[in-house]
Amino acid sequence: MQRFANPTKFMSLADAILPWMIALAASLFAVGLYLAFFVAPADYQQGETVRIMFIHVPSAWLAMMGYSLIALSSIGSLIWRHPLADVAAKAALPIGASFTLLALVTGALWGKPMWGAYWVWDARLTSVLILFLLYIGLIALWQAIEDPSRAGRVAAILAIVGFVNVPIIKFSVDWWNTLHQGASVIRLDGPSIHPSILIPLLVMTAAFTTLYFVLVLIAMKTEILRRRVSALQSARAGGAQASAVAAE
Amino acid sequence: MSAFLTLMRRDLRLALREGGTTGTALGFFLVVVAILPLGLGPDLKLLARLAPGLLWIALLLSALLSLDRLFHNDAEDGSLETLAMGPLPLEAVAAAKALAHWLTTCLPLVVAAPLMAVLLNLPIEAFGPLVLTMAVGSPALSFLGAIGASLTLGLRRGGPLLALLVLPLYVPVLIFGVTALTTAMRDGDMLSPPFLILLALSLAAGALAPIASAAALRANFT
């Protein structure tokens, strides 16, 4: 891991793999969307609304995986002071928050015809809403603290504290008797979904995950460049000040 | 241990002599409880049904109010850095200050809760469980709040940000506090599972939150 601690090396590595990842994401989306809209059958109970799941499930997965990655990066930046972990923890925030919002909105759109309400206060929905609030809180914390190294450490502590929520989301459907259905893809006795729906779902999940990493890499590159610019600017301002003092 | 107690005694004495901390929290508690019936309508049956949740929400908000001062004065005048260099671990400093916050803010709120419950028409048999659940759950509010206070220490818009960060962390305390209270009211069973979970939340927060709080304080020094 320490080998990639050099931001310049990371930038060239990211530039090398990004085109391939973008191509992979695009082709996975082409296949996945085709399967989801033309091949997968409509559900005998849910009708066409079952297709919302092809957006909802990958978004919800990324909401939780995204937060777990932020918590992991936060540990990396707190313990090893890994400079890229800090950048990753910040860059992944708005992206993770967006997927969390997408999961909430698609869930609400599915819930209206199926459950009869856009929103119910069941344990799964509530805990995902809290996850969204944690994302918002972390973004606000980053924005409130000007010094990036202090902001990074403070946000990392909050991210690790907030990680308590992730297992609660995962197991909320088992611990409480919820309206939201239980796990149906990752189960000990194998998936309980018919392959005609499962395969498009897996392809869409792979597509979303690739898209997520493409977005995070681009956001990390932007963040590194932004820090370089602000470092250059402050160096220049310091230099100008020094020469002004010398002139006097 | 004596350093821990000395620090706590100092914080208590400061809160008493400065005044205002406890009074403001109590006044805020009263105002929140007083405006609720104005918004919901004066239907006593409805208020009695909602009272456990409303009282707990009012407790959460009132406990939040004085949190941004928790480390503020000590950070301003430099005594926090002196404490950090002293023999007492920063974790213990954070725990002592959180406990002082509980004694000066949460405990008076808990004691005053039955008075507020009268305004919301909570049945009188529920007063005991109300005070007991709040007494057991509120330490978690102080300890989790200490994390938020140290994260937002010295920020210009620290107050609103503190509320945004801390309230999501308060959600489990609210859920199990209200469930423990309503269970005790319905079944007369005080030691129900939600009550025990509430107790566990307070104990876990008391043990773990000072570590996070101290880590955040250290991030502020350098």
Side-chain angles (χ1 to χ4, degrees):
Chain A
M1 244 6 239
Q2 298 298 334
R3 237 160 17 99
F4 303 110
N6 184 337
T8 313
K9 263 190 199 152
F10 168 80
M11 294 287 266
S12 59
L13 187 72
D15 283 333
I17 60 172
L18 260 177
W20 297 99
M21 282 181 68
I22 292 172
L24 180 66
S27 40
L28 279 171
F29 265 113
V31 176
L33 287 173
Y34 176 76
L35 286 177
F37 281 103
F38 299 106
V39 178
D43 188 84
Y44 82 103
Q45 269 186 326
Q46 304 176 14
E48 298 292 340
T49 55
V50 73
R51 299 189 201 282
I52 295 176
M53 290 301 118
F54 297 126
I55 308 287
H56 176 73
V57 175
S59 307
W61 144 250
L62 286 178
M64 291 209 290
M65 190 204 67
Y67 194 88
S68 310
L69 283 183
I70 290 168
L72 269 180
S73 312
S74 301
I75 294 173
S77 85
L78 273 186
I79 297 177
W80 293 288
R81 298 282 154 92
H82 196 293
L84 280 175
D86 187 48
V87 170
K90 184 183 181 191
L93 274 176
I95 300 164
S98 310
F99 280 113
T100 314
L101 188 63
L102 198 59
L104 287 170
V105 170
T106 51
L109 292 176
W110 180 86
K112 184 64 182 169
M114 287 302 122
W115 292 344
Y118 285 115
W119 187 266
V120 289
W121 288 98
D122 109 335
R124 174 62 69 84
L125 276 71
T126 309
S127 50
V128 173
L129 183 63
I130 293 171
L131 181 70
F132 183 64
L133 292 176
L134 278 171
Y135 272 119
I136 299 290
L138 279 167
I139 293 171
L141 195 58
W142 267 103
Q143 284 181 344
I145 305 177
E146 275 167 29
D147 172 21
S149 77
R150 187 187 152 199
R153 255 172 293 155
V154 170
I157 293 164
L158 181 64
I160 294 168
V161 171
F163 185 72
V164 180
N165 191 30
V166 171
I168 296 180
I169 297 176
K170 174 76 185 91
F171 296 110
S172 58
V173 286
D174 305 326
W175 291 345
W176 290 281
N177 196 6
T178 57
L179 196 53
H180 194 285
Q181 62 166 318
S184 44
V185 178
I186 303 170
R187 286 158 60 114
L188 282 177
D189 51 349
S192 62
I193 309 179
H194 192 268
S196 62
I197 302 262
L198 181 65
I199 290 167
L201 185 59
L202 290 179
V203 176
M204 282 303 278
T205 308
F208 265 77
T209 312
T210 321
L211 174 69
Y212 172 85
F213 282 111
V214 166
L215 292 175
V216 169
L217 280 181
I218 294 174
M220 281 177 73
K221 277 177 59 183
T222 314
E223 175 64 20
I224 291 172
L225 289 177
R226 204 185 59 75
R227 286 187 187 184
R228 280 188 189 166
V229 168
S230 75
L232 284 175
Q233 274 172 343
S234 58
R236 200 157 153 210
Q241 220 164 29
S243 53
V245 170
E248 281 175 24
Chain B
M1 199 61 204
S2 73
F4 183 86
L5 290 177
T6 311
L7 180 61
M8 229 173 81
R9 218 173 296 135
R10 164 182 172 271
D11 270 30
L12 290 179
R13 198 175 298 142
L14 277 173
L16 278 179
R17 299 215 175 135
E18 268 181 355
T21 323
T22 308
T24 314
L26 282 173
F28 189 74
F29 198 29
L30 178 64
V31 167
V32 171
V33 171
I35 60 167
L36 287 170
L38 304 181
L40 296 168
D43 179 1
L44 286 180
K45 267 197 196 128
L46 177 74
L47 286 177
R49 205 159 58 81
L50 297 178
L54 296 178
L55 287 167
W56 262 95
I57 291 172
L59 175 76
L60 251 59
L61 295 176
S62 316
L64 203 63
L65 201 64
S66 57
L67 275 176
D68 63 330
R69 315 304 295 173
L70 194 58
F71 298 105
H72 181 267
N73 288 346
D74 284 350
E76 286 269 90
D77 66 10
S79 45
L80 193 63
E81 284 182 41
T82 316
L83 284 170
M85 283 187 283
L88 196 64
L90 203 51
E91 284 78 7
V93 172
K97 289 191 141 314
L99 266 180
H101 174 266
W102 184 74
L103 286 172
T104 54
T105 304
C106 290
L107 194 60
L109 293 173
V110 173
V111 173
L115 286 176
M116 310 298 164
V118 172
L119 293 177
L120 296 178
N121 194 32
L122 189 79
I124 210 153
E125 308 84 65
F127 284 11
L130 174 74
V131 170
L132 214 55
T133 51
M134 283 187 166
V136 161
S138 55
L141 303 180
S142 291
F143 281 105
L144 291 173
I147 301 180
S150 42
L151 288 173
T152 55
L153 183 60
L155 299 184
R156 260 173 290 128
R157 286 162 291 137
L161 184 61
L162 179 70
L164 179 63
L165 300 184
V166 168
L167 280 175
L169 301 180
Y170 278 0
V171 168
V173 184
L174 175 66
I175 291 175
F176 289 107
V178 175
T179 323
L181 178 54
T182 47
T183 312
M185 284 165 65
R186 199 184 50 227
D187 309 336
D189 175 19
M190 201 57 236
L191 293 176
S192 59
F195 183 79
L196 297 178
I197 293 177
L198 187 66
L199 185 60
L201 284 173
S202 269
L203 292 174
L208 300 174
I211 301 173
S213 183
L217 288 177
R218 284 198 190 97
N220 287 320
F221 289 142
T222 40

